[in-house]
Amino acid sequence: MATWRLAARLAWRELRGGLGSLRLLIVCLFLGVVALAGVGSLAAAILSGLAREGQTILGADLEVRLTQRMPTAAERARIASFGEISDSVRMRAMLRGLSGQAEGRQLLGEMKAVDGKWPLYGEARLRSGGGNAEVRAAIARGAVIGEAFADQLGLAVGDRIALGESSFTVTGILVREPDKAAEGFAFGPSVLIARNKVEATGLVQPGSLYRSHMRLKLPASVDPADVKARLEAEFPDAGWRIADRRDGAPGIRRFVERLAQFLTLVSLTALAVAGIGVADGVRSYLDRKSGSIASLKTLGASSGLIVRTYLFLILALGLVAAMAGAAAGALVPSAVVAVAGSAMPVPPALGFYPAPLLAAVAFGLLVAVAFAVPPLARAGALPAQRIFRGVAEPWPWPGRRALGVSFAAGLLVVALAVWQAPEPVFALAFVGAAAAIFLLLWALGWGVRRLAAALPRPRRVLFGLALANLHRPGAMTGQLVVALGLGLSLFATLAIVETSFNSELRRTIPGRAPTFFVLDIPKEEAARFRATVPEGSDLTMVPSLRGPITSLRGKPVSELAEVPEGAWILRGDRGLTFAAELPEGNRLVAGQWWPAGYAGPPLVSMDAEQAGVLGLKVGDSIGVSVLGVELVATIASLREIQWDSLGFNFVLVFDPATLADAPFTWMATVSPPPVAEAGFTGRIADAFPTASVVRVKDVVGQVGALLSQVGVAVRAAGSVAILAGLAVLVGAIAAQAQSRIYDGVILKTLGATRRQLLLSAAIEYAILAGLVACIALGLGSGLAWLVLTRVLDLGFQPNWGVVAATVLAGAVVTILLGLLGAARALGAPVAQTLRAL
C-alpha cells in the first residue's frame, strides 16, 4: 500500500508538470467514447419512447388483428367483454380526385375506416388545429386525408374524392395520426373514413387484401398479457395476431436494435483506432520522460513503482476523457431530435440513460489499458544508463505479464461487446473481421517499412530522404497505415456499397422489374382486366391471399419458446398463392413439383432459405390460417427464389386444388409500352375502382431514401474512425517533432534549404498517403464485394468517381497535416538547437 501511495503522489507531481503528448490520449479516447455513448443513448431513447408511448403507438392496451376477414359475432363479443373496444379496417386504396386541382388525378394510399371511438389513446390533430373531437366529427361528415394527399394532389377541404365505388367530401386534413407507427410500412398517405361507410366503397370483398383491427382499452387493474393468453386459449384457430402496449411497434424496435448494434460495433472499431493513438501518445510521453524515469531508477525506484506511477496518471486522464466523452454522447439524442426529429418514426424519450454511458466509459478504459500497458511496461524495463545515451538506446520489448494484461483487456472488450449485442453471433463475427483487418493492416504497414528499407537508394537526394523517413528508427509508418487505413477503408467500403446499391436501384432493378403492380383485382374480373391492359403489355397475373403461419410440424407457432433469428415469415401475415407450374425465377432444390391435375391432400412448395431457418424439410407439415380456417399442408418441395427480380415471389405456393375455390383476388405485374405508361394508372383506376396500382419507381424511391438515411448514420459513426486516425497522424507528427528538428538542423548546416526540406517532407507524406489510399481502395473494394455479392446478393457496380474522391480526400488531408507538422519542425532556429545538442 505504501508503494501505491507513493506512486499516486508521483503521478500527481507528473500531472502538475504538464500533459505533453498525453493530450493525444485524451482526444482519442474522447472521440471513441462519444461515438459509443451517442449511439447507445440514442437507441435507448428511441426504445424507451417505444415502451413509454406503447399505448399511444399501438392505439390501445391490446390489439387483435385479422387478415382478409372480419371478426365473428362471438369473437367480437368476447373481445369487447374485457373493456372498451374500437373497430377499424385498413387496406390499400386508390384515391381519385373528382373536383378542384385534383380532378382526374390518382394516388395510392392507405384507407383507414375507423369508428367513433378512434383513437382510444393519443391525440389526432387537424391542420386547422382541432383535436380528437374535431377529427371524429370530420370523419363522420366525410373523409379526412393525410397532409401528403393534400400536398401531392392539391386537395383542400371541400373537394370531392372517390374511394372505390363511393365518393366523399374532404372534411379535414390530418397532420397527426397517433397510431401510424404501429401499422408498419405504407405505400402512401392515410385517408380516414367512417367504419360504417367502408362496405359502400366495395373495397372489402372476399379475397381483398385488408386487415381488421379490434383495439381494447382495458381497466387499469387488467393485465394485457392475461387477456392475450385467454383469447389465444379460447380461440386457438382464429388465426389472429395479438399485440399489447408493451411492444406496440415490434418492427421499429427490431430495426432500431439491429442498427444500434451495427453502429455500436462500428464505433467500437473507431475506438480501437483511437487505441493506436493512445499507445502512441503514451509512448511519446514516456519517451520524453525517459530522463525522469532513469533518474528515479538511479535513486532506487523499482520497475513496478515506475509502472504504477504512470499507470495512475494514464488511468486518471483516461477516466476524465471517457467521462467527458460520455457526457457529450448523452447530448446526442437531443441534438438528433433538434436536427431530424420530424423524420424519426417514434419520438425519442429524452432523458438520462446511465447504462450505455457506463458501457462506453468501460470500453474506453479497457481500450486505454489494452494499448497503454505495453509502452508502460517497456518504460519500466528501461535501463537507467539510457539517460547517458540520449536516444540511441532502443526500447526493450514488454514482458509476458504486460502482454497478458493487454490481451486480457482486449478480451474483456470483445466479451462486453458480444454480451450486450442483441445478436451475439453477428457481433462476434464483426469483431473477428475487424481484428483480422487490423492484423492485415499491421502486416501491410510492416511490409511497407521493409520494402522501403530494401529498395535501392534513389539518386535524387530529396527522394532518398523521403524514402528513408519511412523506415528510419522510430518511424510511425506502421501505426499510420493501420489508423488511417482502417478509417479510409471503412469509408471506401461504404461508398462502394452505397453507389452499387444506387446503381442497382436506378439501372439494374428497373431493367428487370415490371413497371406497375396492380393489386386487388376481383376474382371474376380477370378476363376483363386482361382486355383493359394496353395492347403490347407484358402481363403476369397470379392469385393472391394472405394469412399467418399457425403451426410447424403440428406444433402451434404460439407455443414456440423463441422465434428463430431470421424467421421473418413467422412475423405477421404472409402472401399465399397457388400454381400449377413452377413459378418463373424459381428453382427446385429439394422434392418434386406436383403433377398436372393433382387433386390429393394439400401440398405446398416452400422457400428453401426460410425452411432451413425453421429446420423444415420435405415431408414436414406447415399450418396456415386462410380466412380464419387453418389449412395444414405437407411440404412437397423447396425452392430457391430470385428475390431481386421484383416480380411475384411467394414463400408458400400451394397446389391449385387446395385454394382454387377459396375467395381470392388477382395480383398483376404490368409493363405497358412506353407510350401507354402515362395514362395507365387512370385507365385501371376508372375501370377497376377497387384495385390498387403501385408504380415500381415510387417503391424503389422509398427504399432508396430509407437506405440513404441509414447510410448517413453509418457514415457519422464511421467518421469517428477517420477523426481518430487523423488524431493518430497528428500525434505521430508531434512524437517525431524533436528528431525532425535535429535532422533539419543538421541538414541545414550541411547546406540544405528550407524549401528542399519541405519538398522532401511533401514527397514522404505523398508516398505514405498514396500507399494508405491504395490499401484503403483495395481493402474497401474487397470488403464491399463480399457484402454486395455474398450478403446482399447484388451486383458489384460502384461509381468509381465517388469512391476515388472519398479516398483521395483522405490522402490530401494526410499530406496537408504532414506538411504542417514538418513546417513547424523546420522552423526551429539552427544556433539555438545546436547549443541544446
Side-chain angles (χ1 to χ4, degrees), residues 24-322:
L24 179 61
L25 175 148
I26 294 173
V27 171
C28 287
L29 280 184
F30 176 83
L31 289 173
V33 173
V34 161
L36 283 168
V39 170
S41 296
L42 182 59
I46 295 175
L47 294 175
S48 180
L50 284 170
R52 192 173 70 181
E53 301 295 327
Q55 283 180 326
T56 301
I57 294 169
L58 185 63
D61 293 309
L62 185 135
E63 181 196 64
V64 180
R65 179 182 301 184
L66 290 165
T67 300
Q68 288 187 292
R69 77 176 183 92
M70 298 296 181
T72 64
E75 290 170 341
R76 192 185 188 285
R78 184 61 178 126
I79 293 170
S81 69
F82 291 103
E84 185 179 358
I85 188 172
S86 174
D87 283 318
S88 64
V89 175
R90 183 171 179 258
M91 67 182 302
R92 288 180 294 269
M94 295 296 296
L95 184 148
R96 308 188 304 280
L98 300 179
S99 65
Q101 298 181 24
E103 185 174 359
R105 300 175 65 187
Q106 307 88 19
L107 186 66
L108 180 66
E110 297 284 331
M111 186 203 73
K112 190 172 180 177
V114 299
D115 63 13
K117 297 178 183 179
W118 181 88
L120 290 174
Y121 291 100
E123 185 75 12
R125 192 170 299 279
L126 296 174
R127 182 182 283 179
S128 59
N132 284 348
E134 289 76 12
V135 171
R136 290 165 183 157
I139 292 173
R141 297 194 309 270
V144 173
I145 62 174
E147 274 192 303
F149 267 134
D151 296 339
Q152 294 181 45
L153 295 182
L155 287 167
V157 174
D159 287 343
R160 298 285 294 173
I161 61 172
L163 285 170
E165 298 171 353
S166 296
S167 61
F168 300 85
T169 299
V170 176
T171 52
I173 297 174
L174 194 67
V175 296
R176 184 178 179 186
E177 188 178 349
D179 55 357
K180 189 170 182 63
E183 294 175 348
F185 181 80
F187 280 98
S190 299
V191 53
L192 277 65
I193 64 172
R195 174 65 182 83
N196 57 11
K197 296 179 182 178
V198 69
E199 284 76 13
T201 65
L203 293 170
V204 177
Q205 300 286 342
S208 297
L209 299 180
Y210 67 90
R211 289 188 294 276
S212 174
H213 301 256
M214 289 165 289
R215 289 170 171 165
L216 270 173
K217 184 175 185 179
L218 299 172
S221 59
V222 178
D223 185 357
D226 292 339
V227 177
K228 178 179 178 180
R230 292 172 68 178
L231 287 174
E232 289 177 342
E234 293 177 24
F235 300 91
D237 301 324
W240 50 32
R241 294 287 180 174
I242 304 177
D244 64 53
R245 65 190 179 213
R246 294 171 301 178
D247 195 10
I252 295 177
R253 174 184 54 76
R254 286 192 296 269
F255 175 77
V256 170
E257 287 177 344
R258 290 177 178 176
L259 181 60
Q261 172 184 251
F262 181 72
L263 294 180
T264 297
L265 294 171
V266 171
S267 301
L268 196 57
T269 305
L271 183 60
V273 174
I276 299 173
V278 169
D280 290 343
V282 171
R283 184 177 184 275
S284 178
Y285 177 80
L286 294 176
D287 194 23
R288 300 206 176 183
K289 290 289 182 178
S290 59
S292 299
I293 294 172
S295 297
L296 287 171
K297 298 193 78 170
T298 301
L299 295 173
S302 65
S303 296
L305 178 61
I306 299 297
V307 171
R308 292 187 188 100
T309 297
Y310 290 102
L311 182 62
F312 264 126
L313 178 61
I314 290 166
L315 287 179
L317 293 177
L319 182 61
V320 170

Side-chain angles (χ1 to χ4, degrees), residues 281-552:
V282 171
R283 184 177 184 275
S284 178
Y285 177 80
L286 294 176
D287 194 23
R288 300 206 176 183
K289 290 289 182 178
S290 59
S292 299
I293 294 172
S295 297
L296 287 171
K297 298 193 78 170
T298 301
L299 295 173
S302 65
S303 296
L305 178 61
I306 299 297
V307 171
R308 292 187 188 100
T309 297
Y310 290 102
L311 182 62
F312 264 126
L313 178 61
I314 290 166
L315 287 179
L317 293 177
L319 182 61
V320 170
M323 294 292 287
L331 300 176
V332 167
S334 299
V336 171
V337 169
V339 174
S342 60
M344 305 190 73
V346 176
L350 299 180
F352 178 71
Y353 298 96
L357 302 182
L358 291 175
V361 171
F363 276 126
L365 291 178
L366 286 172
V367 167
V369 170
F371 284 89
V373 164
L376 272 176
R378 296 174 73 179
L382 187 70
Q385 296 90 333
R386 174 165 179 160
I387 191 171
F388 305 111
R389 299 176 183 173
V391 295
E393 182 75 17
W395 279 52
W397 282 96
R400 293 181 180 179
R401 184 177 179 182
L403 292 176
V405 171
S406 180
F407 186 70
L411 284 181
L412 284 175
V413 170
V414 174
L416 182 58
V418 173
W419 174 74
Q420 71 172 12
E423 301 176 34
V425 175
F426 173 80
L428 188 60
F430 187 99
V431 171
I437 293 171
F438 260 91
L439 290 175
L440 176 61
L441 287 171
W442 180 85
L444 289 172
W446 178 83
V448 167
R449 291 192 62 177
R450 293 298 300 268
L451 180 62
L455 287 174
R457 190 173 184 85
R459 294 183 179 179
R460 303 191 65 174
V461 176
L462 297 182
F463 282 93
L465 286 174
L467 192 63
N469 282 336
L470 292 176
H471 64 84
R472 60 182 292 171
M476 309 291 279
T477 304
Q479 293 95 316
L480 292 177
V481 167
V482 175
L484 294 174
L486 187 64
L488 279 179
S489 296
L490 176 61
F491 264 63
T493 302
L494 292 174
I496 293 173
V497 170
E498 194 166 354
T499 56
S500 292
F501 195 88
N502 288 337
S503 178
E504 191 84 8
L505 287 177
R506 294 171 184 170
R507 294 197 296 268
T508 308
I509 288 180
R512 294 195 301 260
T515 308
F516 296 97
F517 289 110
V518 184
L519 312 174
D520 292 330
I521 305 166
K523 178 179 180 179
E524 64 280 359
E525 298 279 6
R528 188 166 71 89
F529 179 82
R530 291 189 178 91
T532 305
V533 170
E535 187 177 351
S537 298
D538 185 3
L539 171 66
T540 301
M541 296 182 66
V542 296
S544 172
L545 302 94
R546 292 191 71 82
I549 295 175
T550 56
S551 66
L552 302 172

